[in-house]
Amino acid sequence: MPRRSILIFAGACVAIAAALAIVTLVVVSRPPSAPISAEVTSTGQPQVGGPFQLVDEEGRTVDQTILNGKWSLVFFGFTYCPDYCPTTLNMLEAARRELGAQADDLQVIFISVDPARDTPKAMKDYLSTWSTDVTGLTGTPEQVKAAADAYRAVYEKVGEGENYTMNHSLTIYLMGPDGQFRAPLGHDLGPTRIADVIRRNMQRR
């Protein structure tokens, strides 16, 4: 194969690999029946986030303005989650440590997809395990669905009786202090890479 053809072929391979990496980052986990799509703004950014109304661990009503004034990491899960949710909380706690003083401008918002079990008290008891200042939000099934729809997050109940579980999206959403979506973060990026992405976005502020 001529040298020019080899270079073109190699360049194409790199481009394809980069595209696949982006898809893997954005679409972390969805049930097969869920459409993988999102509206796009005039700037080319995916339309993620929007109005919602939920309650925090103290039973106080909150809405999307809770994001204003701070950088936010928003993700969906539930307190009975055996693996992803506690692992993600541990990772975000480590990422905050890596950010040092910049972590003062960052908050973590954990939205339950299991409102039947995740009362405000249950959320408060669960999140007290972590030293990171995490705000837990829950609400009625309708409120939770509206919030999940705003973030293009998907979830579903699996099983019956007391031992049911929840399947849910794994994406972590980085939101700016203006409440606007900035970047999707994969649950498996690790604290160093998470901190790097947050730091770069803070610098573009």
Side-chain angles (χ1 to χ4, degrees):
M1 182 183 295
R3 179 178 175 78
R4 177 179 173 80
S5 298
I6 292 173
L7 291 175
I8 293 173
F9 177 75
C13 289
V14 170
I16 292 170
L20 289 174
I22 293 172
V23 171
T24 302
L25 176 62
V26 176
V27 186
V28 180
S29 175
R30 292 177 184 266
S33 59
I36 301 172
S37 64
E39 297 175 12
V40 176
T41 67
S42 59
T43 61
Q45 280 274 46
Q47 183 64 52
V48 175
F52 62 80
Q53 189 172 84
L54 296 164
V55 294
D56 66 14
E57 316 98 293
E58 304 298 333
R60 297 172 297 206
T61 299
V62 300
D63 60 21
Q64 66 279 1
T65 60
I66 194 175
L67 305 179
N68 294 347
K70 280 201 167 189
W71 290 84
S72 303
L73 294 170
V74 179
F75 75 102
F76 292 78
F78 63 114
T79 64
Y80 281 70
C81 181
D83 40 38
Y84 161 69
C85 301
T87 299
T88 298
L89 285 167
N90 286 332
M91 180 183 68
L92 297 182
E93 192 168 61
R96 284 176 61 92
R97 288 195 296 269
E98 298 226 9
L99 285 169
Q102 288 179 299
D104 293 342
D105 294 327
L106 180 70
Q107 63 180 341
V108 179
I109 306 293
F110 175 56
I111 301 177
S112 172
V113 296
D114 186 14
R117 292 184 296 201
D118 288 345
T119 63
K121 184 180 185 305
M123 295 288 281
K124 185 175 184 178
D125 291 344
Y126 179 75
L127 294 174
S128 66
T129 306
W130 283 270
S131 60
T132 293
D133 186 16
V134 182
T135 298
L137 302 181
T138 186
T140 66
E142 294 76 19
Q143 289 174 324
V144 168
K145 184 179 185 305
D149 287 348
Y151 282 83
R152 303 295 189 261
V154 294
Y155 62 94
E156 64 179 353
K157 181 179 178 181
V158 178
E160 299 295 335
E162 295 182 357
N163 295 322
Y164 71 87
T165 189
M166 302 293 295
N167 283 344
H168 57 91
S169 301
L170 305 182
T171 304
I172 304 161
Y173 307 91
L174 176 62
M175 311 296 287
D178 55 359
Q180 298 300 306
F181 173 70
R182 297 302 174 84
L185 303 173
H187 73 290
D188 55 354
L189 282 181
T192 299
R193 292 177 66 190
I194 289 279
D196 286 344
V197 172
I198 295 170
R199 193 177 290 113
R200 287 199 302 272
N201 276 274
M202 284 180 168
Q203 290 170 350
R204 297 191 194 112
R205 184 174 188 161

